[in-house]
Amino acid sequence: MSELFVRTLREDPADAEVNSHKLLVRAGYIRRCGPGIYSWLPLGLRVLRKVENIVREEMDAAGAQEMLFPALLPREPYEATGRWEEYGPNLFRLQDRRDNDYLLAPTHEEMFTVVVKDLYSSYKDLPVTIYQIQHKYRDEARPRAGLIRTREFLMKDAYSFDIDDAGLDTSYDTMRQAYQRIFDRLGLPYVICAATSGAMGGSRSEEFLAPCEIGEDTFVVSPGGYAANTEAVVTPPLPAQDFSDVPAPEVVDTPQAETIAELVDLFNQTKPRADRPWQASDTLKNVVVAAVHPNGEREVLVVGVPGDREVDLKRLEANLAPAEIEMATADDLEKYPELVAGYIGPQVLGPNAGADAPRYLLDPHVPEGSRWITGANEFEKHVCDLVYGRDFTADGTVEAVEVRDGDAAPDGSGALAIRRGIEIGHIFQLGRKYSAALDLTVLDQNGKATVVTMGSYGIGVSRVMAALAELNCDDMGLRWPLGLAPFDVHVIATGKDEAVFETAAQLAEQIPGEVLYDDRRKVSAGVKFADYELLGMPYAVVVGRGLQEGKVELRDRISGAKLEVAVADALTELAKLMESAN
């Protein structure tokens, strides 16, 4: 410890929001360079390398081969796939001294595709899976939570190349099983969730999420085993409703109805239904948003949702990728005078409204034949008994509302429960999006050029470390499991007696494995114990006052157990403790 490049902090950093961020900084594992940018100090790098090695061992065991691309890449391959523009402001773009365009890689699909194209030409060369562990760069608008959302991060990305879809299925399942082994070895709990592909493209997509309250991802599970990121949840089809006895629409003055609750009360008093009272779920909100496309085009959209639900912008964005979604501004609304803010109705929207009208999309919770209270497109006026399919139509549907506890699972496996988690891995069946764009073909058995089929498999290595820290800590500090900790054992010499330091040094030399020895002479026992608890090594050997009686103390950081043993038995008893952890 007297030589280790580390300084521990007693106070949480001002910008830290979550435990992993606070503790990794306080314990001297990482240090902030700028928003979303961190240096890895010796302790942090030791843990990161151990995570890396587990990932590498399982990837190699699954038949994947490691290589390494540069992080600085030319523009041309990304322009060929359209992602030079599609990535929008998240892409770090730069120019060299000759004004040639480059980027800091946010991901490497194009480069993997190009290298296989350069080297392989026959079906006999396939299948092949190659991977790298490399830094990625994304200009996050809001870096947060330390290592969980950063601008530079370490990622393992692998790509499989097959002659057909059947081959892709096999490669995908091989990688899926490898991921399960990786996270099992890391001791990370995980849920495999159906997911959207987003800017990556492709068909089948699954996320590995570590359940955690501070996680940025929201997912759902059902009693019958359904699991999905909320962005990927598909609303079960709702049956069309019979509207044969629904009266014609009627416009009503609603000067006092500023909220949905007031609107429902007013209609129950003045225009009651014959079958049951009006409810918030009978009102149709028409929310105006702006889709910002990668080329910079700003498209105004109107999204119709039941009034008892809120629009989930993140979910809406996932289903309208690669566009980014934000709420419409006053300037957006000025272009469409027919949209009266607060009183927007679908009568002036949809395919019959003309080419100049904004697109109108309905959430699937609005079934064919349903009757609604909604805006009349006039100030302080609403309309009731407006029927979808009779009185208005839409340009399409989109999953837009928030998923709630108790919603039905799409597969009929029961009611959904909402959870939060940290995304630690993501696997995709890319198909032929990138190979077609970059002309990656090989000759098949008949000598015919065939576009290669690809899969993509990513693990956020640095984010995995953050998840491990988040799930392995207490009020005092980190609690690394054996095999991931920077050191296996923390030997602590307390007091001023020279015999204490001599015995501690001897034990530190004799203990097998990786040992950190706190040999600091002018540091109090209280500070040393606080550092031990903060740094989080799984086991400690404390040499102090008990040495007068020929004893030392063994400590288990995870269980909190303490055991006093004879110096002569210390190594044997420590080995038993460590063996029990395996």
Side-chain angles (χ1 to χ4, degrees):
M1 280 286 284
S2 63
E3 298 173 3
L4 183 65
F5 188 63
V6 66
R7 284 292 180 272
T8 56
L9 305 175
R10 295 292 165 242
E11 300 296 327
D12 293 335
D15 62 333
E17 306 165 314
V18 300
N19 285 334
S20 57
H21 188 189
K22 296 172 185 176
L23 294 174
L24 289 172
V25 172
R26 281 185 51 208
Y29 283 69
I30 61 174
R31 186 171 179 82
R32 182 181 183 273
C33 294
I37 309 171
Y38 290 88
S39 297
W40 292 86
L41 303 180
L43 286 173
L45 195 59
R46 290 177 75 96
V47 178
L48 188 68
R49 292 290 180 250
K50 291 184 178 185
V51 174
E52 235 183 274
N53 287 338
I54 288 174
V55 172
R56 181 176 285 112
E57 287 168 8
E58 292 300 335
M59 292 301 296
D60 292 348
Q65 300 175 61
E66 186 175 7
M67 58 179 300
L68 186 64
F69 286 105
L72 178 66
L73 301 174
R75 170 178 178 165
E76 289 74 19
Y78 288 80
E79 196 162 49
T81 60
R83 294 208 299 174
W84 178 261
E85 295 296 338
E86 272 184 21
Y87 252 104
N90 282 341
L91 194 65
F92 280 106
R93 298 172 176 84
L94 62 156
Q95 291 184 323
D96 66 11
R97 66 185 70 194
R98 298 178 181 84
D99 295 329
N100 296 310
D101 288 321
Y102 290 84
L103 67 145
L104 293 177
T107 181
H108 280 82
E109 282 81 6
E110 285 82 353
M111 303 313 296
F112 276 92
T113 307
V114 168
V115 76
V116 173
K117 176 184 175 181
D118 287 347
L119 298 177
Y120 279 1
S121 59
S122 169
Y123 75 94
K124 295 178 183 178
D125 298 322
L126 305 179
V128 66
T129 299
I130 48 181
Y131 77 98
Q132 66 169 347
I133 299 176
Q134 171 63 296
H135 287 93
K136 313 291 186 188
Y137 300 86
R138 296 177 191 171
D139 191 3
E140 292 285 354
R142 292 173 295 278
R144 64 171 294 272
L147 299 177
I148 291 176
R149 182 167 291 279
T150 56
R151 288 178 168 167
E152 179 190 70
F153 55 96
L154 189 64
M155 181 178 175
K156 187 283 301 177
D157 47 337
Y159 298 85
S160 61
F161 299 84
D162 287 275
I163 192 67
D164 54 24
D165 291 341
L168 172 59
D169 287 340
T170 299
S171 296
Y172 185 92
D173 289 340
T174 298
M175 285 296 104
R176 194 177 192 269
Q177 292 167 24
Y179 273 41
Q180 291 174 282
R181 292 193 297 271
I182 288 168
F183 296 127
D184 287 342
R185 285 184 61 186
L186 289 168
L188 268 178
Y190 61 89
V191 178
I192 305 175
C193 296
T196 57
S197 296
M200 293 283 286
S203 53
R204 187 179 176 189
S205 172
E206 292 177 295
E207 287 178 342
F208 288 73
L209 298 176
C212 183
E213 283 304 310
I214 63 93
E216 290 190 311
D217 281 75
T218 306
F219 66 98
V220 294
V221 292
S222 75
Y226 176 82
N229 190 303
T230 52
E231 297 166 14
V233 174
V234 178
T235 304
L238 299 177
Q241 298 182 9
D242 180 12
F243 58 87
S244 58
D245 61 347
V246 178
E250 183 177 353
V251 176
V252 177
D253 290 329
T254 54
Q256 305 300 320
E258 296 183 358
T259 67
I260 287 176
E262 291 170 345
L263 187 65
V264 170
D265 288 342
L266 176 64
F267 274 88
N268 278 325
Q269 293 169 19
T270 60
K271 301 293 177 183
R273 289 174 61 142
D275 53 346
R276 60 169 176 78
W278 292 102
Q279 302 170 356
S281 57
D282 298 315
T283 63
L284 181 65
K285 290 193 298 192
N286 295 290
V287 181
V288 188
V289 300
V292 183
H293 295 280
N295 62 4
E297 177 193 355
R298 186 179 182 86
E299 179 189 8
V300 175
L301 303 170
V302 183
V303 181
V305 302
D308 65 331
R309 299 261 186 169
E310 297 298 326
V311 171
D312 183 337
L313 289 181
K314 189 175 178 182
R315 189 162 179 250
L316 182 61
E317 185 172 84
N319 286 283
L320 293 174
E324 295 185 355
I325 304 300
E326 56 189 52
M327 294 303 295
T329 64
D331 289 341
D332 292 324
L333 284 169
E334 274 187 12
K335 301 171 186 174
Y336 302 98
E338 69 274 21
L339 302 182
V340 180
Y343 302 91
I344 298 172
Q347 306 90 315
V348 296
L349 298 165
N352 299 323
D356 294 334
R359 271 201 298 159
Y360 184 50
L361 304 176
L362 282 176
D363 183 87
H365 286 86
V366 180
E368 190 82 18
S370 52
R371 63 195 287 196
W372 300 93
I373 297 171
T374 189
N377 301 297
E378 294 184 62
F379 183 66
E380 294 189 341
K381 290 182 186 293
H382 285 81
V383 61
C384 65
D385 295 321
L386 200 73
V387 174
Y388 173 40
R390 183 190 73 180
D391 305 314
F392 70 95
T393 55
D395 295 299
T397 60
V398 65
E399 297 284 352
V401 300
E402 89 286 1
V403 178
R404 298 195 299 209
D405 269 314
D407 282 350
D411 63 354
S413 59
L416 298 176
I418 295 180
R419 303 286 185 267
R420 297 192 71 81
I422 300 170
E423 182 186 345
I424 51 177
H426 204 156
I427 56 179
F428 305 84
Q429 288 195 347
L430 289 179
R432 300 170 182 83
K433 173 180 176 179
Y434 297 94
S435 50
L438 294 165
D439 195 28
L440 168 56
T441 63
V442 295
L443 297 180
D444 66 12
Q445 290 173 306
N446 300 314
K448 180 181 177 182
T450 301
V451 178
V452 171
T453 300
M454 294 173 59
S456 172
Y457 318 94
I459 289 178
V461 177
S462 50
R463 182 181 283 187
V464 161
M465 180 170 158
L468 286 165
E470 195 67 40
L471 297 172
N472 291 281
C473 67
D474 58 18
D475 292 340
M476 297 176 290
L478 298 162
R479 299 192 307 177
W480 296 110
L482 189 65
L484 290 173
F487 297 91
D488 302 327
V489 181
H490 194 148
V491 175
I492 304 169
T494 63
K496 299 180 180 179
D497 192 334
E498 187 62 32
V500 166
F501 285 89
E502 289 177 0
T503 302
Q506 290 170 4
L507 287 171
E509 286 289 334
Q510 294 168 358
I511 294 170
E514 300 171 303
V515 180
L516 177 64
Y517 171 33
D518 194 340
D519 62 335
R520 295 174 294 177
R521 297 273 179 163
K522 297 181 180 180
V523 175
S524 70
V527 169
K528 289 186 176 185
F529 286 132
D531 281 347
Y532 153 65
E533 289 162 344
L534 178 60
L535 297 180
M537 310 312 158
Y539 301 101
V541 178
V542 182
V543 185
R545 276 182 261 174
L547 187 62
Q548 295 176 358
E549 300 173 7
K551 295 182 178 181
V552 295
E553 183 181 75
L554 307 183
R555 294 191 178 191
D556 184 327
R557 178 70 182 91
I558 295 175
S559 70
K562 299 178 183 179
L563 176 66
E564 198 170 54
V565 300
V567 174
D569 298 331
L571 296 181
T572 302
E573 295 300 324
L574 179 63
K576 289 180 183 178
L577 269 180
M578 297 172 71
E579 181 65 28
S580 66
N582 296 324

